[in-house]
PDB file of all heavy atoms in Angstrom:
ATOM      1  N   ASP A  29     -30.275   3.018  -9.908  1.00  0.00           N
ATOM      2  CA  ASP A  29     -29.861   3.407  -8.565  1.00  0.00           C
ATOM      3  C   ASP A  29     -29.205   4.785  -8.580  1.00  0.00           C
ATOM      4  O   ASP A  29     -29.327   5.548  -7.609  1.00  0.00           O
ATOM      5  CB  ASP A  29     -28.886   2.382  -7.991  1.00  0.00           C
ATOM      6  CG  ASP A  29     -29.561   1.054  -7.676  1.00  0.00           C
ATOM      7  OD1 ASP A  29     -30.808   1.024  -7.615  1.00  0.00           O
ATOM      8  OD2 ASP A  29     -28.849   0.048  -7.508  1.00  0.00           O
ATOM      9  N   ALA A  30     -28.493   5.097  -9.667  1.00  0.00           N
ATOM     10  CA  ALA A  30     -27.877   6.422  -9.777  1.00  0.00           C
ATOM     11  C   ALA A  30     -28.953   7.507  -9.813  1.00  0.00           C
ATOM     12  O   ALA A  30     -28.850   8.534  -9.120  1.00  0.00           O
ATOM     13  CB  ALA A  30     -27.009   6.494 -11.033  1.00  0.00           C
ATOM     14  N   PHE A  31     -29.992   7.281 -10.608  1.00  0.00           N
ATOM     15  CA  PHE A  31     -31.094   8.245 -10.679  1.00  0.00           C
ATOM     16  C   PHE A  31     -31.790   8.386  -9.331  1.00  0.00           C
ATOM     17  O   PHE A  31     -32.085   9.498  -8.873  1.00  0.00           O
ATOM     18  CB  PHE A  31     -32.103   7.810 -11.747  1.00  0.00           C
ATOM     19  CG  PHE A  31     -33.275   8.733 -11.895  1.00  0.00           C
ATOM     20  CD1 PHE A  31     -33.186   9.870 -12.674  1.00  0.00           C
ATOM     21  CD2 PHE A  31     -34.470   8.470 -11.234  1.00  0.00           C
ATOM     22  CE1 PHE A  31     -34.262  10.733 -12.801  1.00  0.00           C
ATOM     23  CE2 PHE A  31     -35.551   9.324 -11.351  1.00  0.00           C
ATOM     24  CZ  PHE A  31     -35.448  10.463 -12.145  1.00  0.00           C
ATOM     25  N   ALA A  32     -32.029   7.255  -8.673  1.00  0.00           N
ATOM     26  CA  ALA A  32     -32.712   7.284  -7.380  1.00  0.00           C
ATOM     27  C   ALA A  32     -31.883   8.023  -6.338  1.00  0.00           C
ATOM     28  O   ALA A  32     -32.423   8.778  -5.521  1.00  0.00           O
ATOM     29  CB  ALA A  32     -32.999   5.856  -6.912  1.00  0.00           C
ATOM     30  N   ALA A  33     -30.558   7.821  -6.358  1.00  0.00           N
ATOM     31  CA  ALA A  33     -29.688   8.492  -5.388  1.00  0.00           C
ATOM     32  C   ALA A  33     -29.684  10.003  -5.616  1.00  0.00           C
ATOM     33  O   ALA A  33     -29.699  10.782  -4.654  1.00  0.00           O
ATOM     34  CB  ALA A  33     -28.271   7.933  -5.490  1.00  0.00           C
ATOM     35  N   VAL A  34     -29.671  10.421  -6.875  1.00  0.00           N
ATOM     36  CA  VAL A  34     -29.716  11.852  -7.170  1.00  0.00           C
ATOM     37  C   VAL A  34     -31.026  12.453  -6.680  1.00  0.00           C
ATOM     38  O   VAL A  34     -31.050  13.508  -6.025  1.00  0.00           O
ATOM     39  CB  VAL A  34     -29.538  12.097  -8.687  1.00  0.00           C
ATOM     40  CG1 VAL A  34     -29.845  13.552  -9.040  1.00  0.00           C
ATOM     41  CG2 VAL A  34     -28.123  11.739  -9.118  1.00  0.00           C
ATOM     42  N   GLU A  35     -32.120  11.787  -6.990  1.00  0.00           N
ATOM     43  CA  GLU A  35     -33.433  12.291  -6.600  1.00  0.00           C
ATOM     44  C   GLU A  35     -33.575  12.352  -5.079  1.00  0.00           C
ATOM     45  O   GLU A  35     -34.152  13.306  -4.537  1.00  0.00           O
ATOM     46  CB  GLU A  35     -34.515  11.393  -7.196  1.00  0.00           C
ATOM     47  CG  GLU A  35     -35.929  11.899  -7.001  1.00  0.00           C
ATOM     48  CD  GLU A  35     -36.947  11.014  -7.685  1.00  0.00           C
ATOM     49  OE1 GLU A  35     -36.790   9.771  -7.652  1.00  0.00           O
ATOM     50  OE2 GLU A  35     -37.903  11.563  -8.251  1.00  0.00           O
ATOM     51  N   ARG A  36     -33.022  11.364  -4.398  1.00  0.00           N
ATOM     52  CA  ARG A  36     -33.195  11.267  -2.944  1.00  0.00           C
ATOM     53  C   ARG A  36     -32.176  12.102  -2.169  1.00  0.00           C
ATOM     54  O   ARG A  36     -32.512  12.759  -1.176  1.00  0.00           O
ATOM     55  CB  ARG A  36     -33.071   9.803  -2.529  1.00  0.00           C
ATOM     56  CG  ARG A  36     -33.242   9.536  -1.041  1.00  0.00           C
ATOM     57  CD  ARG A  36     -32.963   8.075  -0.718  1.00  0.00           C
ATOM     58  NE  ARG A  36     -31.613   7.682  -1.074  1.00  0.00           N
ATOM     59  CZ  ARG A  36     -31.319   6.742  -1.973  1.00  0.00           C
ATOM     60  NH1 ARG A  36     -32.266   6.097  -2.622  1.00  0.00           N
ATOM     61  NH2 ARG A  36     -30.059   6.445  -2.256  1.00  0.00           N
ATOM     62  N   ASP A  37     -30.891  12.103  -2.619  1.00  0.00           N
ATOM     63  CA  ASP A  37     -29.813  12.601  -1.773  1.00  0.00           C
ATOM     64  C   ASP A  37     -29.157  13.901  -2.221  1.00  0.00           C
ATOM     65  O   ASP A  37     -28.560  14.599  -1.383  1.00  0.00           O
ATOM     66  CB  ASP A  37     -28.707  11.531  -1.669  1.00  0.00           C
ATOM     67  CG  ASP A  37     -29.209  10.220  -1.084  1.00  0.00           C
ATOM     68  OD1 ASP A  37     -30.102  10.276  -0.217  1.00  0.00           O
ATOM     69  OD2 ASP A  37     -28.719   9.157  -1.495  1.00  0.00           O
ATOM     70  N   ALA A  38     -29.200  14.235  -3.508  1.00  0.00           N
ATOM     71  CA  ALA A  38     -28.408  15.367  -4.006  1.00  0.00           C
ATOM     72  C   ALA A  38     -28.695  16.657  -3.250  1.00  0.00           C
ATOM     73  O   ALA A  38     -27.777  17.423  -2.921  1.00  0.00           O
ATOM     74  CB  ALA A  38     -28.645  15.567  -5.506  1.00  0.00           C
ATOM     75  N   GLY A  39     -29.952  16.914  -2.963  1.00  0.00           N
ATOM     76  CA  GLY A  39     -30.323  18.150  -2.293  1.00  0.00           C
ATOM     77  C   GLY A  39     -29.977  18.184  -0.822  1.00  0.00           C
ATOM     78  O   GLY A  39     -30.085  19.241  -0.179  1.00  0.00           O
ATOM     79  N   GLN A  40     -29.526  17.037  -0.255  1.00  0.00           N
ATOM     80  CA  GLN A  40     -29.187  16.964   1.166  1.00  0.00           C
ATOM     81  C   GLN A  40     -27.725  17.317   1.433  1.00  0.00           C
ATOM     82  O   GLN A  40     -27.332  17.475   2.585  1.00  0.00           O
ATOM     83  CB  GLN A  40     -29.462  15.552   1.689  1.00  0.00           C
ATOM     84  CG  GLN A  40     -30.891  15.069   1.487  1.00  0.00           C
ATOM     85  CD  GLN A  40     -31.899  15.913   2.237  1.00  0.00           C
ATOM     86  OE1 GLN A  40     -31.666  16.313   3.362  1.00  0.00           O
ATOM     87  NE2 GLN A  40     -33.026  16.195   1.595  1.00  0.00           N
ATOM     88  N   HIS A  41     -26.923  17.426   0.384  1.00  0.00           N
ATOM     89  CA  HIS A  41     -25.496  17.733   0.536  1.00  0.00           C
ATOM     90  C   HIS A  41     -25.324  19.169   1.017  1.00  0.00           C
ATOM     91  O   HIS A  41     -26.120  20.048   0.686  1.00  0.00           O
ATOM     92  CB  HIS A  41     -24.786  17.535  -0.807  1.00  0.00           C
ATOM     93  CG  HIS A  41     -23.308  17.360  -0.705  1.00  0.00           C
ATOM     94  ND1 HIS A  41     -22.453  18.401  -0.414  1.00  0.00           N
ATOM     95  CD2 HIS A  41     -22.509  16.258  -0.868  1.00  0.00           C
ATOM     96  CE1 HIS A  41     -21.205  17.953  -0.409  1.00  0.00           C
ATOM     97  NE2 HIS A  41     -21.214  16.660  -0.673  1.00  0.00           N
ATOM     98  N   LYS A  42     -24.267  19.435   1.781  1.00  0.00           N
ATOM     99  CA  LYS A  42     -24.019  20.794   2.266  1.00  0.00           C
ATOM    100  C   LYS A  42     -23.713  21.749   1.122  1.00  0.00           C
ATOM    101  O   LYS A  42     -23.987  22.940   1.208  1.00  0.00           O
ATOM    102  CB  LYS A  42     -22.859  20.790   3.273  1.00  0.00           C
ATOM    103  CG  LYS A  42     -23.254  20.255   4.643  1.00  0.00           C
ATOM    104  CD  LYS A  42     -22.162  20.497   5.655  1.00  0.00           C
ATOM    105  CE  LYS A  42     -22.606  20.048   7.042  1.00  0.00           C
ATOM    106  NZ  LYS A  42     -23.752  20.838   7.548  1.00  0.00           N
ATOM    107  N   SER A  43     -23.127  21.235   0.058  1.00  0.00           N
ATOM    108  CA  SER A  43     -22.873  22.050  -1.128  1.00  0.00           C
ATOM    109  C   SER A  43     -24.103  22.049  -2.018  1.00  0.00           C
ATOM    110  O   SER A  43     -24.746  21.015  -2.197  1.00  0.00           O
ATOM    111  CB  SER A  43     -21.683  21.484  -1.917  1.00  0.00           C
ATOM    112  OG  SER A  43     -21.627  22.024  -3.223  1.00  0.00           O
ATOM    113  N   PRO A  44     -24.462  23.202  -2.621  1.00  0.00           N
ATOM    114  CA  PRO A  44     -25.618  23.221  -3.519  1.00  0.00           C
ATOM    115  C   PRO A  44     -25.381  22.485  -4.829  1.00  0.00           C
ATOM    116  O   PRO A  44     -26.329  22.240  -5.573  1.00  0.00           O
ATOM    117  CB  PRO A  44     -25.831  24.717  -3.765  1.00  0.00           C
ATOM    118  CG  PRO A  44     -24.484  25.329  -3.564  1.00  0.00           C
ATOM    119  CD  PRO A  44     -23.838  24.534  -2.468  1.00  0.00           C
ATOM    120  N   ASN A  45     -24.120  22.113  -5.101  1.00  0.00           N
ATOM    121  CA  ASN A  45     -23.797  21.492  -6.384  1.00  0.00           C
ATOM    122  C   ASN A  45     -23.116  20.131  -6.268  1.00  0.00           C
ATOM    123  O   ASN A  45     -23.365  19.237  -7.082  1.00  0.00           O
ATOM    124  CB  ASN A  45     -22.897  22.432  -7.201  1.00  0.00           C
ATOM    125  CG  ASN A  45     -23.596  23.716  -7.575  1.00  0.00           C
ATOM    126  OD1 ASN A  45     -24.712  23.703  -8.097  1.00  0.00           O
ATOM    127  ND2 ASN A  45     -22.965  24.849  -7.306  1.00  0.00           N
ATOM    128  N   ALA A  46     -22.245  19.951  -5.281  1.00  0.00           N
ATOM    129  CA  ALA A  46     -21.429  18.725  -5.220  1.00  0.00           C
ATOM    130  C   ALA A  46     -22.268  17.469  -5.052  1.00  0.00           C
ATOM    131  O   ALA A  46     -21.877  16.391  -5.508  1.00  0.00           O
ATOM    132  CB  ALA A  46     -20.417  18.834  -4.083  1.00  0.00           C
ATOM    133  N   GLY A  47     -23.425  17.584  -4.409  1.00  0.00           N
ATOM    134  CA  GLY A  47     -24.246  16.409  -4.179  1.00  0.00           C
ATOM    135  C   GLY A  47     -24.757  15.754  -5.443  1.00  0.00           C
ATOM    136  O   GLY A  47     -25.001  14.529  -5.455  1.00  0.00           O
ATOM    137  N   TRP A  48     -24.923  16.504  -6.503  1.00  0.00           N
ATOM    138  CA  TRP A  48     -25.490  15.933  -7.735  1.00  0.00           C
ATOM    139  C   TRP A  48     -24.568  14.904  -8.380  1.00  0.00           C
ATOM    140  O   TRP A  48     -24.973  13.747  -8.560  1.00  0.00           O
ATOM    141  CB  TRP A  48     -25.847  17.062  -8.703  1.00  0.00           C
ATOM    142  CG  TRP A  48     -27.002  17.876  -8.207  1.00  0.00           C
ATOM    143  CD1 TRP A  48     -26.980  18.826  -7.225  1.00  0.00           C
ATOM    144  CD2 TRP A  48     -28.360  17.781  -8.626  1.00  0.00           C
ATOM    145  NE1 TRP A  48     -28.244  19.338  -7.022  1.00  0.00           N
ATOM    146  CE2 TRP A  48     -29.108  18.711  -7.869  1.00  0.00           C
ATOM    147  CE3 TRP A  48     -29.013  17.010  -9.580  1.00  0.00           C
ATOM    148  CZ2 TRP A  48     -30.476  18.877  -8.032  1.00  0.00           C
ATOM    149  CZ3 TRP A  48     -30.380  17.182  -9.748  1.00  0.00           C
ATOM    150  CH2 TRP A  48     -31.100  18.099  -8.976  1.00  0.00           C
ATOM    151  N   PRO A  49     -23.322  15.250  -8.728  1.00  0.00           N
ATOM    152  CA  PRO A  49     -22.465  14.206  -9.304  1.00  0.00           C
ATOM    153  C   PRO A  49     -22.067  13.143  -8.287  1.00  0.00           C
ATOM    154  O   PRO A  49     -21.908  11.973  -8.649  1.00  0.00           O
ATOM    155  CB  PRO A  49     -21.242  14.992  -9.801  1.00  0.00           C
ATOM    156  CG  PRO A  49     -21.228  16.243  -8.987  1.00  0.00           C
ATOM    157  CD  PRO A  49     -22.665  16.577  -8.741  1.00  0.00           C
ATOM    158  N   GLU A  50     -21.904  13.522  -7.005  1.00  0.00           N
ATOM    159  CA  GLU A  50     -21.522  12.530  -6.012  1.00  0.00           C
ATOM    160  C   GLU A  50     -22.633  11.507  -5.799  1.00  0.00           C
ATOM    161  O   GLU A  50     -22.374  10.309  -5.672  1.00  0.00           O
ATOM    162  CB  GLU A  50     -21.158  13.209  -4.689  1.00  0.00           C
ATOM    163  CG  GLU A  50     -19.822  13.925  -4.739  1.00  0.00           C
ATOM    164  CD  GLU A  50     -19.399  14.441  -3.378  1.00  0.00           C
ATOM    165  OE1 GLU A  50     -19.932  13.972  -2.352  1.00  0.00           O
ATOM    166  OE2 GLU A  50     -18.514  15.321  -3.338  1.00  0.00           O
ATOM    167  N   ALA A  51     -23.880  11.962  -5.745  1.00  0.00           N
ATOM    168  CA  ALA A  51     -24.999  11.028  -5.589  1.00  0.00           C
ATOM    169  C   ALA A  51     -25.112  10.117  -6.802  1.00  0.00           C
ATOM    170  O   ALA A  51     -25.345   8.903  -6.667  1.00  0.00           O
ATOM    171  CB  ALA A  51     -26.299  11.798  -5.370  1.00  0.00           C
ATOM    172  N   ALA A  52     -24.957  10.680  -8.000  1.00  0.00           N
ATOM    173  CA  ALA A  52     -25.029   9.856  -9.217  1.00  0.00           C
ATOM    174  C   ALA A  52     -23.928   8.805  -9.230  1.00  0.00           C
ATOM    175  O   ALA A  52     -24.168   7.640  -9.566  1.00  0.00           O
ATOM    176  CB  ALA A  52     -24.932  10.752 -10.455  1.00  0.00           C
ATOM    177  N   MET A  53     -22.714   9.210  -8.864  1.00  0.00           N
ATOM    178  CA  MET A  53     -21.597   8.266  -8.834  1.00  0.00           C
ATOM    179  C   MET A  53     -21.830   7.188  -7.778  1.00  0.00           C
ATOM    180  O   MET A  53     -21.614   5.993  -8.037  1.00  0.00           O
ATOM    181  CB  MET A  53     -20.293   9.019  -8.538  1.00  0.00           C
ATOM    182  CG  MET A  53     -19.042   8.165  -8.512  1.00  0.00           C
ATOM    183  SD  MET A  53     -18.499   7.623 -10.157  1.00  0.00           S
ATOM    184  CE  MET A  53     -17.663   9.117 -10.749  1.00  0.00           C
ATOM    185  N   ALA A  54     -22.284   7.592  -6.595  1.00  0.00           N
ATOM    186  CA  ALA A  54     -22.530   6.631  -5.522  1.00  0.00           C
ATOM    187  C   ALA A  54     -23.579   5.609  -5.925  1.00  0.00           C
ATOM    188  O   ALA A  54     -23.395   4.395  -5.744  1.00  0.00           O
ATOM    189  CB  ALA A  54     -22.964   7.365  -4.255  1.00  0.00           C
ATOM    190  N   GLY A  55     -24.690   6.076  -6.463  1.00  0.00           N
ATOM    191  CA  GLY A  55     -25.750   5.164  -6.867  1.00  0.00           C
ATOM    192  C   GLY A  55     -25.320   4.226  -7.974  1.00  0.00           C
ATOM    193  O   GLY A  55     -25.635   3.030  -7.950  1.00  0.00           O
ATOM    194  N   ALA A  56     -24.588   4.757  -8.952  1.00  0.00           N
ATOM    195  CA  ALA A  56     -24.153   3.938 -10.076  1.00  0.00           C
ATOM    196  C   ALA A  56     -23.217   2.820  -9.639  1.00  0.00           C
ATOM    197  O   ALA A  56     -23.232   1.726 -10.213  1.00  0.00           O
ATOM    198  CB  ALA A  56     -23.463   4.807 -11.122  1.00  0.00           C
ATOM    199  N   LEU A  57     -22.399   3.077  -8.596  1.00  0.00           N
ATOM    200  CA  LEU A  57     -21.395   2.098  -8.167  1.00  0.00           C
ATOM    201  C   LEU A  57     -21.834   1.282  -6.958  1.00  0.00           C
ATOM    202  O   LEU A  57     -21.094   0.406  -6.500  1.00  0.00           O
ATOM    203  CB  LEU A  57     -20.084   2.820  -7.836  1.00  0.00           C
ATOM    204  CG  LEU A  57     -19.435   3.609  -8.975  1.00  0.00           C
ATOM    205  CD1 LEU A  57     -18.167   4.291  -8.476  1.00  0.00           C
ATOM    206  CD2 LEU A  57     -19.134   2.717 -10.169  1.00  0.00           C
ATOM    207  N   GLY A  58     -23.017   1.592  -6.408  1.00  0.00           N
ATOM    208  CA  GLY A  58     -23.473   0.876  -5.230  1.00  0.00           C
ATOM    209  C   GLY A  58     -22.692   1.225  -3.982  1.00  0.00           C
ATOM    210  O   GLY A  58     -22.436   0.357  -3.131  1.00  0.00           O
ATOM    211  N   LEU A  59     -22.309   2.504  -3.839  1.00  0.00           N
ATOM    212  CA  LEU A  59     -21.509   2.957  -2.716  1.00  0.00           C
ATOM    213  C   LEU A  59     -22.246   4.023  -1.908  1.00  0.00           C
ATOM    214  O   LEU A  59     -23.286   4.542  -2.330  1.00  0.00           O
ATOM    215  CB  LEU A  59     -20.181   3.548  -3.212  1.00  0.00           C
ATOM    216  CG  LEU A  59     -19.231   2.609  -3.956  1.00  0.00           C
ATOM    217  CD1 LEU A  59     -18.066   3.405  -4.525  1.00  0.00           C
ATOM    218  CD2 LEU A  59     -18.738   1.500  -3.038  1.00  0.00           C
ATOM    219  N   LYS A  60     -21.662   4.365  -0.763  1.00  0.00           N
ATOM    220  CA  LYS A  60     -22.066   5.540   0.004  1.00  0.00           C
ATOM    221  C   LYS A  60     -20.886   6.511  -0.027  1.00  0.00           C
ATOM    222  O   LYS A  60     -19.757   6.131   0.322  1.00  0.00           O
ATOM    223  CB  LYS A  60     -22.391   5.169   1.454  1.00  0.00           C
ATOM    224  CG  LYS A  60     -23.639   4.341   1.612  1.00  0.00           C
ATOM    225  CD  LYS A  60     -23.814   3.852   3.045  1.00  0.00           C
ATOM    226  CE  LYS A  60     -24.212   4.976   3.982  1.00  0.00           C
ATOM    227  NZ  LYS A  60     -24.551   4.461   5.337  1.00  0.00           N
ATOM    228  N   LEU A  61     -21.139   7.755  -0.457  1.00  0.00           N
ATOM    229  CA  LEU A  61     -20.095   8.770  -0.535  1.00  0.00           C
ATOM    230  C   LEU A  61     -20.483   9.972   0.313  1.00  0.00           C
ATOM    231  O   LEU A  61     -21.607  10.087   0.775  1.00  0.00           O
ATOM    232  CB  LEU A  61     -19.862   9.198  -1.989  1.00  0.00           C
ATOM    233  CG  LEU A  61     -19.424   8.101  -2.963  1.00  0.00           C
ATOM    234  CD1 LEU A  61     -19.318   8.654  -4.378  1.00  0.00           C
ATOM    235  CD2 LEU A  61     -18.098   7.477  -2.530  1.00  0.00           C
ATOM    236  N   ALA A  62     -19.517  10.886   0.455  1.00  0.00           N
ATOM    237  CA  ALA A  62     -19.683  12.083   1.294  1.00  0.00           C
ATOM    238  C   ALA A  62     -19.855  11.648   2.748  1.00  0.00           C
ATOM    239  O   ALA A  62     -19.001  10.934   3.268  1.00  0.00           O
ATOM    240  CB  ALA A  62     -20.829  12.958   0.796  1.00  0.00           C
ATOM    241  N   GLY A  63     -20.928  12.042   3.419  1.00  0.00           N
ATOM    242  CA  GLY A  63     -21.108  11.673   4.813  1.00  0.00           C
ATOM    243  C   GLY A  63     -20.193  12.456   5.738  1.00  0.00           C
ATOM    244  O   GLY A  63     -19.501  13.386   5.313  1.00  0.00           O
ATOM    245  N   PRO A  64     -20.144  12.102   7.016  1.00  0.00           N
ATOM    246  CA  PRO A  64     -19.286  12.801   7.983  1.00  0.00           C
ATOM    247  C   PRO A  64     -17.812  12.643   7.614  1.00  0.00           C
ATOM    248  O   PRO A  64     -17.357  11.536   7.287  1.00  0.00           O
ATOM    249  CB  PRO A  64     -19.602  12.103   9.310  1.00  0.00           C
ATOM    250  CG  PRO A  64     -20.923  11.437   9.086  1.00  0.00           C
ATOM    251  CD  PRO A  64     -20.957  11.054   7.648  1.00  0.00           C
ATOM    252  N   ARG A  65     -17.042  13.739   7.681  1.00  0.00           N
ATOM    253  CA  ARG A  65     -15.628  13.678   7.326  1.00  0.00           C
ATOM    254  C   ARG A  65     -14.880  14.850   7.947  1.00  0.00           C
ATOM    255  O   ARG A  65     -15.479  15.848   8.321  1.00  0.00           O
ATOM    256  CB  ARG A  65     -15.448  13.665   5.795  1.00  0.00           C
ATOM    257  CG  ARG A  65     -16.105  14.827   5.073  1.00  0.00           C
ATOM    258  CD  ARG A  65     -16.326  14.494   3.606  1.00  0.00           C
ATOM    259  NE  ARG A  65     -16.870  15.626   2.858  1.00  0.00           N
ATOM    260  CZ  ARG A  65     -18.165  15.926   2.807  1.00  0.00           C
ATOM    261  NH1 ARG A  65     -19.056  15.172   3.454  1.00  0.00           N
ATOM    262  NH2 ARG A  65     -18.589  16.955   2.108  1.00  0.00           N
TER     263      ARG A  65
END
């Protein structure tokens, strides 16, 4: 799930870099991170 989240979501983050570790962490833990804030 961590790999799938990175592949699917990392490039959608407003930051060119923050989405990669955040997507991996979210997928690995079964969570949703970032989003509207």
Side-chain angles (χ1 to χ4, degrees):
D29 290 344
F31 180 83
V34 169
E35 187 176 39
R36 181 186 60 242
D37 301 326
Q40 303 297 320
H41 200 287
K42 284 190 176 296
S43 165
N45 295 310
W48 291 77
E50 287 187 18
M53 181 73 79
L57 300 179
L59 297 173
K60 291 173 72 173
L61 300 176
R65 55 201 184 276

